Amino acid sequence: MQLTIQGTEDKAAVLHALYVHVVSGRKAPGWNAYTMGAGCGGALVPASFAVDLDDASPRARPVPGKEGERPTASTDFPYKVSATDPQVLNIDAATLGQDVSWYLELAWSSGDRKGTTRIDDHGRPFRTVALNAGHSYWYNANNNAWLPDTG
């Protein structure tokens, strides 16, 4: 998932931390998985985080990432944002065998104000489901066809 955080004023805001909250977890169903394919990078250098949803206390851990095909360094909070200076966060949340509902909270401050902002799917938790090995497909736009994912 990719988040773009941008201030609403010229005054800077500081992003302090990203907290992971698991709402529920159960055994993953054995259905097929589909991927629409790869995207392309933009002008902002993203900060990348990995989340192990199988961990008893999952957290957003900074990891090296990619901007298009170019590797990026691992960076961690705090980040500074404003109306003209956004920050992109790439979140790779994964589970090996569960169907997990979860959301994030972003801690921030600006001047004497501080708070947390919930990040979810329009009021609902995100849902991450483990892949059913051998049953994943990706969309090849050149052929207009779903092809087996071979790795």
Side-chain angles (χ1 to χ4, degrees), residues 14 114 149:
V14 177
K114 63 181 179 178
D149 187 358

Side-chain angles (χ1 to χ4, degrees), residues 76-91:
D76 200 359
F77 289 93
Y79 300 104
K80 183 180 82 169
V81 299
S82 69
T84 58
D85 187 19
Q87 175 65 52
V88 175
L89 304 178
N90 287 339
I91 311 298

Side-chain angles (χ1 to χ4, degrees), residues 49-88:
F49 294 85
V51 176
D52 179 359
L53 294 170
D54 293 328
D55 192 304
S57 297
R59 64 182 189 87
R61 185 175 46 85
V63 296
K66 282 192 170 186
E67 181 185 10
E69 293 298 316
R70 187 172 52 99
T72 60
S74 171
T75 63
D76 200 359
F77 289 93
Y79 300 104
K80 183 180 82 169
V81 299
S82 69
T84 58
D85 187 19
Q87 175 65 52
V88 175

Side-chain angles (χ1 to χ4, degrees), residues 18-150:
L18 192 62
Y19 300 105
V20 180
H21 297 277
V22 172
V23 176
S24 67
R26 59 182 183 255
K27 185 177 188 284
W31 53 24
N32 295 335
Y34 298 90
T35 302
M36 287 304 296
C40 55
L44 299 173
V45 176
S48 296
F49 294 85
V51 176
D52 179 359
L53 294 170
D54 293 328
D55 192 304
S57 297
R59 64 182 189 87
R61 185 175 46 85
V63 296
K66 282 192 170 186
E67 181 185 10
E69 293 298 316
R70 187 172 52 99
T72 60
S74 171
T75 63
D76 200 359
F77 289 93
Y79 300 104
K80 183 180 82 169
V81 299
S82 69
T84 58
D85 187 19
Q87 175 65 52
V88 175
L89 304 178
N90 287 339
I91 311 298
D92 183 10
T95 175
L96 294 178
Q98 295 189 76
D99 178 348
V100 182
S101 294
W102 58 281
Y103 66 93
L104 299 168
E105 281 188 331
L106 180 64
W108 58 270
S109 65
S110 180
D112 60 352
R113 299 178 323 169
K114 63 181 179 178
T116 58
T117 299
R118 181 176 165 139
I119 301 168
D120 58 24
D121 185 11
H122 303 284
R124 297 182 315 243
F126 296 113
R127 186 174 176 200
T128 301
V129 180
L131 290 178
N132 181 5
H135 295 93
S136 59
Y137 303 88
W138 67 280
Y139 186 73
N140 184 324
N142 295 330
N143 307 30
N144 286 332
W146 289 99
L147 303 175
D149 187 358
T150 58

